[in-house]
Amino acid sequence: MKALTNARNWVGLSIILIGILIYFIFVRNLVFMAYEGYSPEWFNNFIHTFYPRFFVERDRFSADFFLQKTDLMIGRISVVFILVIFWGQKVYDKVFIAKDVSYMNFKVFRIILYGAATFYYWDWLPELIHLGEMKDFYSPVLFLSPLFPNYPSAYLLAVIFALMILSNLLAISNKQLLFSGLCFALCFITLEGFFLSFHKLDHGFATYIYCLIIFPWMATVKQSNENTFSDAWPIRLIWVAITLSYFMSGMEKLTISGWHWVLPETIQGYLSLHHTPLGDFVAQYDFLCVLMAVLGLSLQLGFVSVLFKPKLVWVFVPAGLIFHFLTGQMFQIAGWISPWQVVYIFFVDWKKVLEIFTNKGFLYKMINTKNG
Amino acid sequence: MERYRHLGIKVFIFLLILPFLTITDFYPFMRFGMFAEPIRSYEQLETYRLGVFKNNTVQILDMDSLGLSEGKFNYLARNYVHTHRENQLMRTFWAKLSVDKDSLFLFKIHGVPLDTHLIVRFAP
């Protein structure tokens, strides 16, 4: 109620409405002109910088396709902006409730997060050097374009790779975590960015990278006593980042395809592009396809509820593990240990798990020690 | 300090949702539009193959051996073909490939049902 009587909120709403008017009167026409190839130079440059694929897709899709996309974009911005100005702070205060994290959990998170990285990057250097043979096709992602307008030399790649290993070792052993963790994240993002700079983006490491950016900030959290971090906001932010990623993924489906997305033809169509034994089996049965679609969408839209009801992790974490395993098998995407699954470690209370499974034995005692 | 921390968190959340709002990736902040398009759009799915022509036979190249995955090559070829730069693409591959060859072929596989089309035959 308070949000509705705040004058500043209504000013914000007026700005949104004016923005929508400007879009329909002026900007929408520019999009059409860009499609037809006679938009002003500054608008072309803007598209080149932020949506370079436009000039590829223009050849494949009708003008309506792009107008629908920009309408959708304006719709999303307006709805999110209105939600944020009226209820954003309220939701923020509810989500960011101070949570304690035990030192043991912190240690397990750190070891698995940085340990898994070695499994992912061990063969990157030869692959990146090999990829350098195709450097004529290098088209850097926006993040890399200021520093690396050209594909780096093998020597520079080796330096970044060595720095990544060094910072990984320091981070895993909790030495200068803020500095070493952020340095590792930067090297990891940079090297992965080179792989993505050949006209094909891949979001396989998306949530993992969010965790790499956030986790080092645990070094700034004060310990209330020897075994507990009080108000461990980075872990809470990791929860928000992961669950929001799933939520946005579900909302993409709903806002682009609508509820038709759960019809069997959708999943059958995607499965027919990959042809795996499990995928071919599922594709034969309409009810299985609908079931998969409904369960997948429910997981993506529902995962965010763990922020308000933490006990629901017992539903969503196993469901998510199964979801990634099945999509991996049906669509031939990701390996056996997907980075999307690895980040689930942050939802588990390892102290409880180890107490249950090891009966406070050797492994429990080793991890529960303060050192390292 | 507390104030800056909350500001930092809010900026990070904004960056997280920015790709969703703008329907564009801003690596490392990504949009999750995979499998979101209705299946009718998939009728426009295209894959590409590069072939070496020698002694009246065409041998399709394994892209992994060139350092590019098949997926990367598809996007790369699509980018060049739809911006009408297919000859530039072929010229670069011609220079990169050390194998003996008379010409290079670029095929596009698309349509429902799937069909193969020759996009360009290239010899400098």
Side-chain angles (χ1 to χ4, degrees):
Chain A
M1 231 16 228
K2 216 175 174 182
L4 296 174
T5 54
N6 191 331
R8 273 197 315 187
N9 293 352
W10 291 102
V11 172
L13 186 65
S14 308
I15 292 170
I16 278 281
L17 291 173
I18 292 167
I20 293 171
L21 271 178
I22 292 173
Y23 166 72
F24 277 105
I25 294 169
F26 179 61
V27 183
R28 202 170 191 270
N29 198 35
L30 278 177
V31 175
F32 186 75
M33 287 161 74
Y35 181 82
E36 293 293 328
Y38 56 87
S39 58
E41 194 60 29
W42 65 267
F43 193 69
N44 270 348
N45 292 339
F46 177 81
I47 297 176
H48 254 299
T49 308
F50 294 105
Y51 187 47
R53 272 177 59 191
F54 175 79
F55 299 97
V56 178
E57 310 294 23
R58 186 171 65 177
D59 202 46
R60 304 175 65 216
F61 298 105
S62 67
D64 278 349
F65 174 84
F66 295 100
L67 292 173
Q68 277 172 15
K69 285 275 187 251
T70 45
D71 289 352
L72 182 62
M73 186 174 90
I74 294 304
R76 285 180 182 186
I77 292 172
S78 307
V79 170
V80 170
F81 198 88
I82 289 168
L83 291 175
V84 167
I85 56 174
F86 279 93
W87 297 282
Q89 189 62 43
K90 202 176 169 185
V91 174
Y92 180 85
D93 292 341
K94 206 167 181 182
V95 167
F96 276 93
I97 301 165
K99 295 272 180 197
D100 289 352
V101 166
S102 70
Y103 192 87
M104 189 182 193
N105 275 336
F106 164 70
K107 201 169 173 180
V108 175
F109 293 159
R110 200 185 70 230
I111 291 169
I112 298 180
L113 181 72
Y114 292 113
T118 56
F119 175 77
Y120 296 127
Y121 72 63
W122 67 274
D123 58 350
W124 279 10
L125 185 58
E127 276 190 30
L128 283 166
I129 291 171
H130 195 192
L131 192 58
E133 290 170 23
M134 292 289 142
K135 63 184 174 192
D136 293 345
F137 302 121
Y138 175 67
S139 169
V141 288
L142 195 60
F143 172 77
L144 293 179
S145 53
L147 269 178
F148 300 99
N150 299 310
Y151 195 78
S153 64
Y155 174 74
L156 186 53
L157 285 171
V159 169
I160 300 171
F161 191 76
L163 192 61
M164 182 170 71
I165 294 174
L166 180 67
S167 53
N168 190 9
L169 290 174
L170 289 172
I172 208 168
S173 49
N174 203 22
K175 301 277 187 282
Q176 300 292 326
L177 182 64
L178 182 62
F179 177 73
S180 60
L182 289 178
C183 180
F184 175 68
L186 188 63
C187 293
F188 191 94
I189 293 168
T190 302
L191 293 182
E192 169 68 2
F194 291 133
F195 283 114
L196 305 184
S197 294
F198 287 80
H199 302 280
K200 185 181 184 299
L201 280 173
D202 188 322
H203 58 260
F205 284 111
T207 50
Y208 186 79
I209 283 175
Y210 298 156
C211 296
L212 288 183
I213 296 170
I214 303 166
F215 188 75
W217 295 95
M218 276 299 287
T220 66
V221 175
K222 286 195 177 76
Q223 285 178 256
S224 55
N225 61 53
E226 211 168 273
N227 290 317
T228 311
F229 291 90
S230 58
D231 188 15
W233 63 268
I235 304 300
R236 195 67 182 159
L237 186 56
I238 284 174
W239 277 41
V240 171
I242 296 170
T243 56
L244 209 52
S245 300
Y246 281 97
F247 184 71
M248 289 188 293
S249 183
M251 286 307 289
E252 286 280 0
K253 293 175 180 74
L254 279 189
T255 53
I256 291 176
S257 294
W259 291 105
H260 290 98
W261 191 83
V262 299
L263 294 177
E265 297 83 52
T266 311
I267 296 282
Q268 281 163 344
Y270 286 118
L271 289 172
S272 70
L273 300 170
H274 295 86
H275 283 300
T276 59
L278 183 63
D280 289 345
F281 172 78
V282 170
Q284 296 173 62
Y285 303 99
D286 284 0
F287 85 94
L288 270 183
C289 292
V290 173
L291 186 69
M292 292 274 182
V294 170
L295 289 177
L297 200 56
S298 305
L299 168 78
Q300 291 183 331
L301 295 174
F303 208 153
V304 76
S305 62
V306 303
L307 296 175
F308 307 98
K309 295 257 181 234
K311 279 187 178 168
L312 288 172
V313 295
W314 291 102
V315 175
F316 285 101
V317 167
L321 290 172
I322 296 168
F323 170 79
H324 286 290
F325 174 76
L326 288 178
T327 48
Q329 295 300 305
M330 291 196 296
F331 298 104
Q332 279 181 315
I333 46 174
W336 283 95
I337 309 171
S338 154
W340 283 73
Q341 290 168 309
V342 167
V343 298
Y344 283 12
I345 54 167
F346 292 103
F347 293 105
V348 178
D349 185 346
W350 293 96
K351 196 172 180 186
K352 269 189 190 159
V353 171
L354 287 170
E355 274 173 6
I356 294 166
F357 288 104
T358 66
N359 197 23
K360 294 198 178 185
F362 170 73
L363 186 63
Y364 177 86
K365 281 173 188 155
M366 192 180 81
I367 296 175
N368 204 25
T369 52
K370 177 73 173 67
N371 298 327
Chain B
M1 203 60 194
E2 185 86 346
R3 203 174 145 200
Y4 290 117
R5 192 187 88 186
H6 286 295
L7 181 67
I9 291 172
K10 285 173 184 171
V11 168
F12 188 83
I13 293 173
F14 170 73
L15 291 172
L16 278 180
I17 61 171
L18 185 65
F20 173 76
L21 297 180
T22 56
I23 319 186
T24 308
D25 290 296
F26 292 96
Y27 177 77
F29 297 96
M30 306 293 261
R31 175 194 167 220
F32 303 102
M34 63 285 185
F35 303 124
E37 294 287 340
I39 205 63
R40 61 187 150 80
S41 307
Y42 252 64
E43 287 172 12
Q44 285 168 311
L45 182 104
E46 307 163 356
T47 55
Y48 291 85
R49 298 285 182 275
L50 189 67
V52 172
F53 184 69
K54 180 74 187 168
N55 299 331
N56 285 326
T57 53
V58 178
Q59 191 191 348
I60 300 297
L61 283 171
D62 171 21
M63 284 298 146
D64 284 327
S65 66
L66 297 173
L68 285 173
S69 65
E70 202 178 293
K72 266 198 181 73
F73 176 73
N74 280 329
Y75 276 81
L76 190 66
R78 193 172 80 182
N79 194 294
Y80 277 76
V81 168
H82 287 288
T83 48
H84 311 290
R85 295 180 295 151
E86 50 271 52
N87 279 326
Q88 190 187 334
L89 177 88
M90 300 302 267
R91 196 172 296 116
T92 309
F93 272 107
W94 182 274
K96 299 274 171 211
L97 291 168
S98 52
V99 292
D100 208 11
K101 54 198 177 288
D102 293 333
S103 57
L104 284 179
F105 283 65
L106 181 67
F107 298 105
K108 178 161 92 171
I109 305 164
H110 81 137
V112 179
L114 283 176
D115 205 357
T116 304
H117 304 267
L118 176 65
I119 297 293
V120 60
R121 179 180 181 171
F122 179 84

